[in-house]
Amino acid sequence: MPRPLNIAYSPCPNDTFVFDALAHGRVPDAPELAVTFADIDLTNGMAERGEFDVLKVSYAVLPWVLEEYALLPCGGALGRGCGPLVLTREPGTAADLAGRTVAVPSERSTAYLLFRLWAAAQVPGGVGEIVVLPFHEIMPAVRAGSVDAGLVIHEARFTYRNYGLSCLADMGEHWEDTTGLPIPLGAIIAKRSLGEETLKSLAAAVRTSVLMAWDDPEVSRPYVLQHAQEMDPQVADQHIGLYVNEYTAALGEDGYAAVRGLLTRAAAEGLVPPLGRDALTFV
């Protein structure tokens, strides 16, 4: 019997929804998985160290890991109307961030690349200090005034008003307005050393797991809510609705264009290494 594939993904509702059927052995002829939960800033580091067979990572980390890992054409998170937000205590404009301190969840995240690309175009003279904080600490830090602004992702789109904060800018809106492409957020990658047959089998199993979750969403609900970190069930459903979509089932032409567009623009700004010509090709 082949060994289980070691996989790490986040406890966020979109990931548990996508992987529920596969993680629980309900996908026929699929590779067995040994699951570890870790937030995406941790899985990005795991990928750079080559620690797992399969990982959910930020698209922003791909330029550092694609020699060892292949990008799967499914299972990830892209979308429209779901980008990161820049939050402040008071309403303002992009110019107000000039020289200011901004908290971000990671400097190896798609959210950070989108923010830097936006700031390069919109903030005269650029922002000031960048402070990396755990995701759950960013909104409290903005509210307390220990940072001037915060870059937030995921369910914070639905909850930031509970902290009395204002949305200064929507990074996804800026990306979509300037490119017309979906927002590339999280990717599924797997070690190339697994071999072409295993990689193809894994990709097919991930896609089937997505389709099974759509066919009967209630089956995955206990798994989703078990790991949703006390998230309100309605917010969990909104989260899934935003981040699990046609691009999760298959990246497609627009999905690949979005990924390459983000990483090419980021490389031009010196934020990431340039991509190789065939770096995104799947086996």
Side-chain angles (χ1 to χ4, degrees):
M1 291 290 290
R3 68 170 177 83
L5 299 180
N6 294 311
I7 183 171
Y9 51 81
S10 84
C12 293
N14 61 307
D15 286 346
T16 48
F17 181 82
V18 164
F19 284 102
D20 174 62
L22 184 52
H24 292 98
R26 299 198 307 273
V27 177
D29 304 317
E32 184 182 353
L33 301 182
V35 177
T36 296
F37 288 102
D39 288 334
I40 202 161
D41 57 326
L42 297 178
T43 61
N44 285 345
M46 293 170 179
E48 293 189 69
R49 296 186 295 271
E51 291 180 350
F52 279 72
D53 298 315
V54 189
L55 288 157
K56 167 73 175 290
V57 298
S58 168
Y59 277 108
V61 84
L62 292 189
W64 284 276
V65 303
L66 283 178
E67 284 192 15
E68 186 169 3
Y69 288 90
L71 171 65
L72 267 61
C74 54
L78 294 89
R80 299 184 184 275
C82 61
L85 306 179
V86 176
L87 304 180
T88 54
R89 289 183 299 283
E90 302 292 338
T93 66
D96 297 330
L97 283 191
R100 299 293 186 175
T101 300
V102 182
V104 303
S106 170
E107 290 181 291
R108 289 281 175 92
S109 67
T110 306
Y112 181 70
L113 294 189
L114 291 171
F115 169 69
R116 292 300 298 268
L117 293 174
W118 170 81
Q122 301 292 323
V123 181
V127 299
E129 183 183 3
I130 298 295
V131 178
V132 178
L133 291 178
F135 168 69
H136 66 277
E137 294 181 11
I138 291 179
M139 289 191 290
V142 177
R143 181 173 60 184
S146 53
V147 295
D148 297 308
L151 180 69
V152 299
I153 55 177
H154 296 329
E155 66 273 7
R157 292 186 65 88
F158 313 116
T159 61
Y160 72 87
R161 293 179 184 86
N162 298 341
Y163 289 80
L165 302 180
S166 296
C167 178
L168 183 76
D170 184 326
M171 303 297 93
E173 187 176 280
H174 178 258
W175 170 258
E176 292 181 69
D177 286 348
T178 55
T179 69
L181 294 168
I183 307 154
L185 298 168
I188 307 299
I189 59 174
K191 279 192 173 178
R192 298 183 186 275
S193 60
L194 294 172
E196 184 174 330
E197 182 178 344
T198 297
L199 287 171
K200 287 183 175 179
S201 174
L202 176 63
V206 171
R207 185 172 189 274
T208 298
S209 190
V210 174
L211 299 178
M212 291 176 71
W214 278 337
D215 284 345
D216 193 349
E218 288 305 311
V219 173
S220 66
R221 197 164 185 79
Y223 189 53
V224 169
L225 294 181
Q226 175 189 354
H227 296 286
Q229 300 174 345
E230 301 181 5
M231 188 185 300
D232 181 273
Q234 185 176 357
V235 174
D237 288 343
Q238 290 175 308
H239 186 112
I240 292 167
L242 271 181
Y243 300 112
V244 185
N245 51 48
E246 62 184 289
Y247 303 108
T248 311
L251 269 174
E253 185 176 335
D254 279 359
Y256 277 108
V259 176
R260 185 168 288 281
L262 172 71
L263 298 179
T264 299
R265 288 171 180 234
E269 290 288 333
L271 300 172
V272 302
L275 278 183
R277 181 175 180 179
D278 299 318
L280 300 181
T281 302
F282 179 65
V283 301

